[in-house]
Amino acid sequence: MNLSDKRILVTGASAGIGRACAVLLSQLGAKVILNGRNLAALEQTAAELSGDGHVCAPFDIAATDKLSEWVKALIKEHGYLDSFVHCAGIQVTKPIRLFDQALFNETMHINLASAMAISKGFRLKRDRSKQGSIVFVSSIAGLIGQTGNTLYGASKAGLMSLTRGLAMELLRDNIRVNCVAPALVATEMAKRTQVSMTEAQFQHMVNQHPMGLGQPEDVANAVAFLLSDAAKWINAVTLPVEGGYLAN
């Protein structure tokens, strides 16, 4: 799991799973390009990284039509990208009676369309002698049904399907595409989820995790494995990282 001198783009690097991924990848020797909307938060992540050669690259990934060109510009300025980790995402807990077009567009743009748009830019002008790797951070919400979480789950299930499709399409570019599907992880997003529920509802969710809630580092470990040469023959898979939730 040595990532020395690999240059890796991490979206959603401002906090939570994205920040944990960036920190671990830097510890494994990678040069990390940190993406998020808030430069100050990205700089806080950068301060925690090991090694040097890291870059903060703030950009709003909701601007999907501009993402491919943005990735091309990153490569031109900072050098060849070996891998890409898509941690960015939003979760809004709402029942179907509150569904509207704006919520759909925002969720699908940020959670799903951005992944495809960045992948479009990532695949350009590849050195096919070098194996590239993409890892999407999905959610077990894409594998199960959760009241009030239907749209979010649909977007994350879309990421799993995108993983399989792109894994086949990008074989010719020597790019592997895989996905991790965490259960509830102790992050800022989990805190926002808790606020949107009653205490009893949130406790019920916690009780469904036999090994307790996950930590961002638990997901980062799985991501690092899938990026590394230790997983060079693993492609098109979704790896649940869920502390036994799905067996419950």
Side-chain angles (χ1 to χ4, degrees):
M1 290 185 48
N2 183 359
L3 298 175
S4 294
D5 299 322
K6 300 287 188 182
R7 184 171 286 104
I8 303 176
L9 171 63
V10 179
T11 68
S14 301
I17 292 172
R19 176 172 287 178
C21 285
V23 170
L24 178 58
L25 298 179
S26 74
Q27 291 170 348
L28 295 173
K31 300 181 186 301
V32 185
I33 298 180
L34 305 168
N35 167 255
R37 289 179 296 178
N38 187 316
L39 177 58
L42 292 178
E43 289 174 340
Q44 290 177 7
T45 299
E48 298 183 24
L49 302 187
S50 301
D52 54 22
H54 311 299
V55 176
C56 293
F59 195 85
D60 187 354
I61 63 167
T64 50
D65 284 343
K66 299 178 181 179
L67 282 175
S68 181
E69 290 299 319
W70 172 70
V71 174
K72 289 168 60 178
L74 284 180
I75 294 170
K76 183 176 181 180
E77 182 175 359
H78 303 295
Y80 188 81
L81 271 181
D82 295 278
S83 300
F84 156 47
V85 184
H86 193 45
C87 302
I90 60 169
Q91 180 179 14
V92 180
T93 304
K94 284 187 177 182
I96 188 64
R97 62 184 175 82
L98 297 178
F99 170 82
D100 58 28
Q101 185 70 47
L103 176 62
F104 179 88
N105 289 345
E106 182 182 34
T107 301
M108 290 298 178
H109 266 80
I110 294 176
N111 290 357
L112 184 56
S114 61
M116 179 168 277
I118 296 175
S119 298
K120 176 184 175 182
F122 177 78
R123 65 162 294 276
L124 296 174
K125 298 182 179 179
R126 303 296 302 174
D127 180 349
R128 294 182 181 177
S129 69
K130 300 178 180 178
Q131 188 181 76
S133 181
I134 295 172
V135 176
F136 299 131
V137 177
S138 181
S139 168
I140 62 161
L143 296 170
I144 61 175
Q146 291 179 321
T147 300
N149 220 19
T150 303
L151 182 56
Y152 174 75
S155 71
K156 292 300 188 175
L159 269 180
M160 298 176 195
S161 180
L162 182 63
T163 295
R164 296 187 292 271
L166 283 181
M168 296 298 97
E169 186 168 346
L170 299 183
L171 276 175
R172 60 188 177 185
D173 298 303
N174 197 16
I175 298 172
R176 295 183 298 110
V177 187
N178 292 294
C179 183
V180 296
L184 189 61
V185 176
T187 64
E188 292 83 349
M189 183 180 289
K191 293 177 182 177
R192 290 194 293 271
T193 299
Q194 182 175 3
V195 170
S196 70
M197 296 178 168
T198 67
E199 184 176 344
Q201 287 173 330
F202 186 76
Q203 189 58 49
H204 174 71
M205 183 180 292
V206 171
N207 291 343
Q208 291 177 302
H209 295 70
M211 298 177 69
L213 299 189
Q215 296 299 317
E217 293 75 19
D218 297 322
V219 184
N221 286 329
V223 169
F225 165 68
L226 290 173
L227 288 176
S228 75
D229 288 343
K232 65 183 178 63
W233 206 50
I234 297 176
N235 198 23
V237 305
T238 292
L239 174 62
V241 185
E242 38 68 273
Y245 185 108
L246 294 177
N248 196 11

mmCIF file of all heavy atoms in Angstrom, residues 75-99:
data_model
loop_
_atom_site.group_PDB
_atom_site.id
_atom_site.type_symbol
_atom_site.label_atom_id
_atom_site.label_comp_id
_atom_site.label_asym_id
_atom_site.label_seq_id
_atom_site.Cartn_x
_atom_site.Cartn_y
_atom_site.Cartn_z
ATOM 1 N N ILE A 75 -4.300 19.196 -14.085
ATOM 2 C CA ILE A 75 -3.224 18.346 -14.593
ATOM 3 C C ILE A 75 -2.148 19.193 -15.272
ATOM 4 O O ILE A 75 -0.945 18.963 -15.081
ATOM 5 C CB ILE A 75 -3.795 17.295 -15.562
ATOM 6 C CG1 ILE A 75 -4.712 16.329 -14.799
ATOM 7 C CG2 ILE A 75 -2.674 16.541 -16.266
ATOM 8 C CD1 ILE A 75 -5.508 15.396 -15.694
ATOM 9 N N LYS A 76 -2.585 20.178 -16.028
ATOM 10 C CA LYS A 76 -1.629 21.054 -16.717
ATOM 11 C C LYS A 76 -0.771 21.820 -15.724
ATOM 12 O O LYS A 76 0.436 21.999 -15.928
ATOM 13 C CB LYS A 76 -2.381 22.022 -17.627
ATOM 14 C CG LYS A 76 -1.467 22.924 -18.451
ATOM 15 C CD LYS A 76 -2.271 23.803 -19.405
ATOM 16 C CE LYS A 76 -1.350 24.692 -20.237
ATOM 17 N NZ LYS A 76 -2.138 25.546 -21.176
ATOM 18 N N GLU A 77 -1.384 22.261 -14.618
ATOM 19 C CA GLU A 77 -0.665 23.084 -13.650
ATOM 20 C C GLU A 77 0.172 22.262 -12.673
ATOM 21 O O GLU A 77 1.291 22.647 -12.323
ATOM 22 C CB GLU A 77 -1.653 23.949 -12.869
ATOM 23 C CG GLU A 77 -0.993 24.882 -11.866
ATOM 24 C CD GLU A 77 -1.971 25.812 -11.175
ATOM 25 O OE1 GLU A 77 -3.187 25.749 -11.481
ATOM 26 O OE2 GLU A 77 -1.521 26.609 -10.326
ATOM 27 N N HIS A 78 -0.370 21.112 -12.237
ATOM 28 C CA HIS A 78 0.267 20.389 -11.134
ATOM 29 C C HIS A 78 0.873 19.041 -11.528
ATOM 30 O O HIS A 78 1.607 18.452 -10.740
ATOM 31 C CB HIS A 78 -0.736 20.177 -10.000
ATOM 32 C CG HIS A 78 -1.322 21.446 -9.481
ATOM 33 N ND1 HIS A 78 -0.571 22.401 -8.835
ATOM 34 C CD2 HIS A 78 -2.593 21.937 -9.529
ATOM 35 C CE1 HIS A 78 -1.349 23.422 -8.488
ATOM 36 N NE2 HIS A 78 -2.574 23.167 -8.899
ATOM 37 N N GLY A 79 0.553 18.568 -12.713
ATOM 38 C CA GLY A 79 1.142 17.318 -13.167
ATOM 39 C C GLY A 79 0.143 16.174 -13.261
ATOM 40 O O GLY A 79 -1.025 16.299 -12.883
ATOM 41 N N TYR A 80 0.618 15.070 -13.753
ATOM 42 C CA TYR A 80 -0.178 13.882 -14.041
ATOM 43 C C TYR A 80 -0.935 13.401 -12.802
ATOM 44 O O TYR A 80 -0.377 13.329 -11.702
ATOM 45 C CB TYR A 80 0.749 12.784 -14.536
ATOM 46 C CG TYR A 80 0.078 11.545 -15.049
ATOM 47 C CD1 TYR A 80 -0.429 11.497 -16.340
ATOM 48 C CD2 TYR A 80 -0.025 10.402 -14.252
ATOM 49 C CE1 TYR A 80 -1.028 10.349 -16.825
ATOM 50 C CE2 TYR A 80 -0.624 9.251 -14.731
ATOM 51 C CZ TYR A 80 -1.122 9.233 -16.013
ATOM 52 O OH TYR A 80 -1.717 8.092 -16.491
ATOM 53 N N LEU A 81 -2.199 13.058 -12.994
ATOM 54 C CA LEU A 81 -3.024 12.522 -11.906
ATOM 55 C C LEU A 81 -3.047 10.998 -11.989
ATOM 56 O O LEU A 81 -3.452 10.432 -13.001
ATOM 57 C CB LEU A 81 -4.462 13.045 -12.014
ATOM 58 C CG LEU A 81 -4.824 14.349 -11.330
ATOM 59 C CD1 LEU A 81 -6.306 14.650 -11.566
ATOM 60 C CD2 LEU A 81 -4.532 14.310 -9.839
ATOM 61 N N ASP A 82 -2.609 10.341 -10.923
ATOM 62 C CA ASP A 82 -2.628 8.886 -10.893
ATOM 63 C C ASP A 82 -3.977 8.336 -10.458
ATOM 64 O O ASP A 82 -4.399 7.278 -10.937
ATOM 65 C CB ASP A 82 -1.539 8.378 -9.940
ATOM 66 C CG ASP A 82 -0.142 8.720 -10.427
ATOM 67 O OD1 ASP A 82 0.370 7.988 -11.274
ATOM 68 O OD2 ASP A 82 0.414 9.726 -9.957
ATOM 69 N N SER A 83 -4.637 9.047 -9.539
ATOM 70 C CA SER A 83 -5.881 8.520 -8.972
ATOM 71 C C SER A 83 -6.820 9.657 -8.593
ATOM 72 O O SER A 83 -6.421 10.826 -8.509
ATOM 73 C CB SER A 83 -5.594 7.659 -7.732
ATOM 74 O OG SER A 83 -4.774 6.557 -8.048
ATOM 75 N N PHE A 84 -8.056 9.284 -8.342
ATOM 76 C CA PHE A 84 -9.113 10.238 -7.998
ATOM 77 C C PHE A 84 -10.044 9.577 -6.985
ATOM 78 O O PHE A 84 -10.507 8.463 -7.194
ATOM 79 C CB PHE A 84 -9.838 10.640 -9.287
ATOM 80 C CG PHE A 84 -11.254 11.129 -9.138
ATOM 81 C CD1 PHE A 84 -11.597 12.064 -8.174
ATOM 82 C CD2 PHE A 84 -12.246 10.657 -9.988
ATOM 83 C CE1 PHE A 84 -12.901 12.513 -8.054
ATOM 84 C CE2 PHE A 84 -13.550 11.106 -9.875
ATOM 85 C CZ PHE A 84 -13.875 12.031 -8.911
ATOM 86 N N VAL A 85 -10.300 10.270 -5.870
ATOM 87 C CA VAL A 85 -11.229 9.800 -4.839
ATOM 88 C C VAL A 85 -12.366 10.809 -4.723
ATOM 89 O O VAL A 85 -12.125 11.990 -4.449
ATOM 90 C CB VAL A 85 -10.534 9.653 -3.471
ATOM 91 C CG1 VAL A 85 -11.513 9.063 -2.460
ATOM 92 C CG2 VAL A 85 -9.289 8.802 -3.572
ATOM 93 N N HIS A 86 -13.579 10.336 -4.900
ATOM 94 C CA HIS A 86 -14.739 11.235 -4.868
ATOM 95 C C HIS A 86 -15.480 11.075 -3.547
ATOM 96 O O HIS A 86 -16.303 10.171 -3.367
ATOM 97 C CB HIS A 86 -15.672 10.908 -6.030
ATOM 98 C CG HIS A 86 -16.717 11.968 -6.270
ATOM 99 N ND1 HIS A 86 -16.436 13.311 -6.282
ATOM 100 C CD2 HIS A 86 -18.048 11.861 -6.529
ATOM 101 C CE1 HIS A 86 -17.545 13.992 -6.524
ATOM 102 N NE2 HIS A 86 -18.540 13.133 -6.668
ATOM 103 N N CYS A 87 -15.155 11.947 -2.588
ATOM 104 C CA CYS A 87 -15.789 11.924 -1.270
ATOM 105 C C CYS A 87 -16.893 12.960 -1.128
ATOM 106 O O CYS A 87 -17.678 12.892 -0.179
ATOM 107 C CB CYS A 87 -14.746 12.157 -0.172
ATOM 108 S SG CYS A 87 -13.396 10.971 -0.146
ATOM 109 N N ALA A 88 -16.910 13.941 -2.013
ATOM 110 C CA ALA A 88 -17.868 15.036 -1.882
ATOM 111 C C ALA A 88 -19.299 14.523 -2.021
ATOM 112 O O ALA A 88 -19.580 13.614 -2.806
ATOM 113 C CB ALA A 88 -17.594 16.098 -2.942
ATOM 114 N N GLY A 89 -20.192 15.095 -1.263
ATOM 115 C CA GLY A 89 -21.587 14.713 -1.364
ATOM 116 C C GLY A 89 -22.439 15.467 -0.364
ATOM 117 O O GLY A 89 -21.922 16.109 0.551
ATOM 118 N N ILE A 90 -23.744 15.415 -0.578
ATOM 119 C CA ILE A 90 -24.681 16.041 0.349
ATOM 120 C C ILE A 90 -25.745 15.025 0.741
ATOM 121 O O ILE A 90 -26.020 14.073 0.005
ATOM 122 C CB ILE A 90 -25.364 17.289 -0.248
ATOM 123 C CG1 ILE A 90 -26.168 16.928 -1.511
ATOM 124 C CG2 ILE A 90 -24.338 18.376 -0.529
ATOM 125 C CD1 ILE A 90 -27.068 18.054 -1.976
ATOM 126 N N GLN A 91 -26.320 15.231 1.900
ATOM 127 C CA GLN A 91 -27.422 14.395 2.361
ATOM 128 C C GLN A 91 -28.476 15.286 2.994
ATOM 129 O O GLN A 91 -28.203 15.985 3.976
ATOM 130 C CB GLN A 91 -26.949 13.352 3.374
ATOM 131 C CG GLN A 91 -28.073 12.460 3.887
ATOM 132 C CD GLN A 91 -27.578 11.414 4.872
ATOM 133 O OE1 GLN A 91 -26.467 11.504 5.369
ATOM 134 N NE2 GLN A 91 -28.403 10.424 5.152
ATOM 135 N N VAL A 92 -29.652 15.268 2.407
ATOM 136 C CA VAL A 92 -30.786 16.015 2.944
ATOM 137 C C VAL A 92 -31.893 15.008 3.243
ATOM 138 O O VAL A 92 -32.385 14.335 2.335
ATOM 139 C CB VAL A 92 -31.292 17.076 1.943
ATOM 140 C CG1 VAL A 92 -32.483 17.831 2.542
ATOM 141 C CG2 VAL A 92 -30.168 18.044 1.575
ATOM 142 N N THR A 93 -32.246 14.868 4.508
ATOM 143 C CA THR A 93 -33.272 13.909 4.907
ATOM 144 C C THR A 93 -34.646 14.564 4.791
ATOM 145 O O THR A 93 -34.966 15.483 5.540
ATOM 146 C CB THR A 93 -33.036 13.430 6.352
ATOM 147 O OG1 THR A 93 -31.719 12.879 6.443
ATOM 148 C CG2 THR A 93 -34.052 12.380 6.752
ATOM 149 N N LYS A 94 -35.440 14.071 3.812
ATOM 150 C CA LYS A 94 -36.788 14.610 3.601
ATOM 151 C C LYS A 94 -37.703 13.488 3.148
ATOM 152 O O LYS A 94 -37.315 12.661 2.316
ATOM 153 C CB LYS A 94 -36.790 15.710 2.535
ATOM 154 C CG LYS A 94 -36.240 17.047 2.992
ATOM 155 C CD LYS A 94 -36.442 18.108 1.931
ATOM 156 C CE LYS A 94 -35.966 19.472 2.396
ATOM 157 N NZ LYS A 94 -36.199 20.520 1.378
ATOM 158 N N PRO A 95 -38.923 13.452 3.652
ATOM 159 C CA PRO A 95 -39.890 12.454 3.177
ATOM 160 C C PRO A 95 -40.360 12.805 1.768
ATOM 161 O O PRO A 95 -40.180 13.935 1.288
ATOM 162 C CB PRO A 95 -41.035 12.572 4.194
ATOM 163 C CG PRO A 95 -40.942 13.977 4.695
ATOM 164 C CD PRO A 95 -39.478 14.313 4.711
ATOM 165 N N ILE A 96 -40.976 11.850 1.099
ATOM 166 C CA ILE A 96 -41.398 12.025 -0.287
ATOM 167 C C ILE A 96 -42.371 13.196 -0.444
ATOM 168 O O ILE A 96 -42.398 13.858 -1.486
ATOM 169 C CB ILE A 96 -42.019 10.720 -0.835
ATOM 170 C CG1 ILE A 96 -42.289 10.808 -2.325
ATOM 171 C CG2 ILE A 96 -43.281 10.359 -0.071
ATOM 172 C CD1 ILE A 96 -41.041 10.961 -3.155
ATOM 173 N N ARG A 97 -43.144 13.504 0.591
ATOM 174 C CA ARG A 97 -44.117 14.593 0.473
ATOM 175 C C ARG A 97 -43.440 15.952 0.305
ATOM 176 O O ARG A 97 -44.073 16.911 -0.134
ATOM 177 C CB ARG A 97 -45.058 14.614 1.684
ATOM 178 C CG ARG A 97 -44.371 14.851 3.013
ATOM 179 C CD ARG A 97 -45.342 14.757 4.192
ATOM 180 N NE ARG A 97 -44.671 14.871 5.473
ATOM 181 C CZ ARG A 97 -44.331 16.027 6.036
ATOM 182 N NH1 ARG A 97 -44.639 17.170 5.438
ATOM 183 N NH2 ARG A 97 -43.711 16.051 7.209
ATOM 184 N N LEU A 98 -42.149 16.038 0.630
ATOM 185 C CA LEU A 98 -41.411 17.298 0.479
ATOM 186 C C LEU A 98 -40.499 17.300 -0.746
ATOM 187 O O LEU A 98 -39.707 18.214 -0.935
ATOM 188 C CB LEU A 98 -40.574 17.573 1.737
ATOM 189 C CG LEU A 98 -41.362 17.772 3.030
ATOM 190 C CD1 LEU A 98 -40.415 17.990 4.194
ATOM 191 C CD2 LEU A 98 -42.336 18.943 2.900
ATOM 192 N N PHE A 99 -40.639 16.273 -1.588
ATOM 193 C CA PHE A 99 -39.815 16.193 -2.794
ATOM 194 C C PHE A 99 -40.141 17.329 -3.759
ATOM 195 O O PHE A 99 -41.297 17.709 -3.935
ATOM 196 C CB PHE A 99 -40.054 14.856 -3.496
ATOM 197 C CG PHE A 99 -39.430 14.787 -4.868
ATOM 198 C CD1 PHE A 99 -38.092 14.478 -5.010
ATOM 199 C CD2 PHE A 99 -40.184 15.054 -6.001
ATOM 200 C CE1 PHE A 99 -37.511 14.427 -6.267
ATOM 201 C CE2 PHE A 99 -39.619 15.004 -7.264
ATOM 202 C CZ PHE A 99 -38.272 14.683 -7.392
#
